[in-house]
Amino acid sequence: MFQISRLSIVSIVTLVIAGVSVISSIGCSSRGITPPRSELVKDSQGSATPLSNPEDDLARFQEFEQRQRSKLINLIRQRTTTGERDPSYRVGAGDEVEINVFDVPELNLTARVKDSGFINLPLVGGVSAAGKTEQELIEELTQRLGGFVRQPQVSVFISQYGSQKVAVVGAVEKPGNYPLKKGSNGILELLAEAGGVSSRAGNYLNIVPSGDSQGAAAGVETRARAALAQMVAGGTSTNGRGVEISLDVVLGTSGGIPVEVPIRGGDMIVVPEAGTVTVEGEVQKAGAFDLGRKSSVLGALAAAGGITYGAKVDELEVVRDLGNEDKVHLILDLNRVISGEVRDIKLRNGDVVRVPSDSGRRLRQDTFEAIGKVINVGVGGTVNVVN
């Protein structure tokens, strides 16, 4: 039989009853109650500033996502329709020009436009190229070569747009300004030029189209520096003009064919860093955690040590800022996420994951913890076994 030393069974029962009566002071002191969004919305009804309900937040979030998809589709359609070669494009300093003269192989060459705007050719010497379209340059060369070649047939093709640069900034290995090249004006090529995305990259990027494709490169360095400064401060400098696209979609790591987006001179590609997510409420270890490119709600919960027994698993909440302090509260049923019925949410820098309290389960958890504390303090853990 067991013999309990130091305290009688009556004393233990007395302590347990006393402990249950002070559960609120013992069980809740270390971790507060996290009310679910539905309760907060209900309590705010009739107030001067009622909270938006989960259905309205979901609708606003889906509308935001649809706007982003539409902007991306429109950009691709617009730039695909205009084609890669723009007949109105005017040559600039730093461009590389391929020149071919039929049946005169010594005049088939590649020349880079100097800062002065000239190119040097055999026979004719310096030719002003900057500011001319391909057709205008063809006409100029045909006239100049006419004194040396009978009825010259000249073709001109811009092989590298040295004057048309694209800024690639943020979480890439080699941020900088990169000139467009012949046949390589897609987003994948530009990311490759920048050494690829780094391990700090988040799960999306922003393409900020140039408002003026001609001469826009003049301000690309200034815009790139401003974007980097803004990102260090915790955001991305897109001024509402950015076209957002998932990195998995760009790289083809989502299971589909990579989506190619044509890039033009003066564009800016911003790859934000993954950043951090805050996890609060019914988790073992609340706090801020570093994100990775694949981080999701389930991953954030794992980083926080998992949920507690008192969690309300059908009302997990993800708080996301859509910009201009417009926040939405997305509700997830953890059971449905784990079973695969609904998709887990990929997290972004600044997201907050709230795990609310289930009042019934939390009461049972606090009762259990309070009784354990009372017994440990009162009994002192001394139990002798008597044969």
Side-chain angles (χ1 to χ4, degrees):
M1 64 177 293
F2 292 94
Q3 179 180 356
I4 303 176
S5 64
R6 295 177 56 190
L7 288 174
S8 65
I9 294 177
V10 175
S11 299
I12 295 175
V13 172
T14 301
L15 284 170
V16 170
I17 294 174
V20 173
S21 67
V22 293
I23 283 176
S24 58
S25 63
I26 298 178
C28 301
S29 59
S30 60
R31 188 179 70 253
I33 296 291
T34 304
R37 181 69 178 178
S38 57
E39 289 185 11
L40 295 175
V41 171
K42 183 178 180 180
D43 293 341
S44 72
Q45 298 305 311
S47 66
T49 55
L51 299 177
S52 59
N53 60 57
E55 292 78 14
D56 291 341
D57 276 12
L58 178 60
R60 284 168 45 229
F61 176 71
Q62 291 174 337
E63 181 182 356
F64 172 82
E65 294 279 279
Q66 182 58 46
R67 285 200 305 271
Q68 295 298 322
R69 285 192 292 268
S70 296
K71 289 169 68 176
L72 177 62
I73 292 171
N74 290 336
L75 180 67
I76 295 175
R77 181 184 295 121
Q78 176 189 1
R79 292 187 169 184
T80 303
T81 301
T82 57
E84 288 196 22
R85 294 188 65 182
D86 182 2
S88 66
Y89 174 78
R90 297 189 177 276
V91 177
D95 287 353
E96 194 173 79
V97 181
E98 291 183 4
I99 300 171
N100 290 279
V101 181
F102 179 71
D103 210 24
V104 187
E106 58 269 24
L107 292 179
N108 297 337
L109 50 84
T110 299
R112 185 172 297 278
V113 182
K114 298 181 179 180
D115 291 340
S116 62
F118 282 77
I119 55 176
N120 288 321
L121 301 177
L123 300 180
V124 298
V127 177
S128 176
K132 291 183 171 65
T133 65
E134 287 182 357
Q135 184 58 40
E136 290 172 346
L137 187 54
I138 288 174
E139 293 172 359
E140 173 75 13
L141 291 175
T142 300
Q143 181 183 355
R144 297 282 295 273
L145 289 170
F148 305 93
V149 180
R150 184 178 179 181
Q151 295 182 341
Q153 298 179 37
V154 182
S155 65
V156 171
F157 189 85
I158 300 171
S159 58
Q160 182 168 320
Y161 300 89
S163 64
Q164 296 292 286
K165 295 183 178 180
V166 175
V168 185
V169 297
V172 292
E173 295 296 341
K174 297 183 295 182
N177 302 312
Y178 296 91
L180 295 177
K181 298 179 180 179
K182 176 183 176 181
S184 302
N185 64 344
I187 193 169
L188 272 177
E189 286 80 10
L190 268 301
L191 288 176
E193 284 283 324
V197 297
S198 72
S199 58
R200 309 184 315 276
N203 50 34
Y204 71 102
L205 58 78
N206 269 296
I207 304 168
V208 186
S210 167
D212 177 14
S213 61
Q214 296 299 329
V220 72
E221 293 188 21
T222 301
R223 294 166 61 224
R225 285 195 295 268
L228 284 171
Q230 186 67 20
M231 289 175 66
V232 171
T236 57
S237 180
T238 62
N239 297 321
R241 297 191 301 113
V243 179
E244 185 177 297
I245 181 171
S246 166
L247 258 181
D248 284 338
V249 171
V250 170
L251 302 176
T253 52
S254 58
I257 300 174
V259 173
E260 193 55 86
V261 182
I263 300 299
R264 296 290 181 263
D267 286 352
M268 183 165 59
I269 300 172
V270 183
V271 184
E273 293 190 2
T276 60
V277 60
T278 301
V279 185
E280 57 188 34
E282 296 290 343
V283 290
Q284 301 294 342
K285 185 178 63 175
F289 301 92
D290 291 334
L291 288 172
R293 220 179 82 202
K294 301 291 185 180
S295 294
S296 64
V297 171
L298 290 180
L301 294 178
I307 62 175
T308 69
Y309 176 81
K312 185 171 176 56
V313 295
D314 60 345
E315 277 197 53
L316 262 70
E317 182 180 347
V318 177
V319 185
R320 176 168 296 175
D321 191 344
L322 300 182
N324 299 321
E325 298 184 355
D326 178 20
K327 293 186 177 180
V328 292
H329 301 254
L330 306 174
I331 305 302
L332 275 180
D333 185 334
L334 187 57
N335 288 322
R336 298 184 67 193
V337 173
I338 294 175
S339 67
E341 292 181 55
V342 297
R343 183 177 299 177
D344 195 2
I345 295 179
K346 287 187 177 180
L347 299 175
R348 297 189 177 183
N349 184 27
D351 281 353
V352 177
V353 177
R354 293 181 70 251
V355 184
S357 306
D358 182 301
S359 56
R361 295 174 65 88
R362 178 61 186 270
L363 178 61
R364 292 193 292 273
Q365 178 182 357
D366 288 347
T367 300
F368 178 82
E369 292 178 354
I371 291 175
K373 290 179 180 180
V374 170
I375 292 177
N376 287 335
V377 173
V379 178
T382 303
V383 179
N384 296 327
V385 179
V386 179
N387 293 325

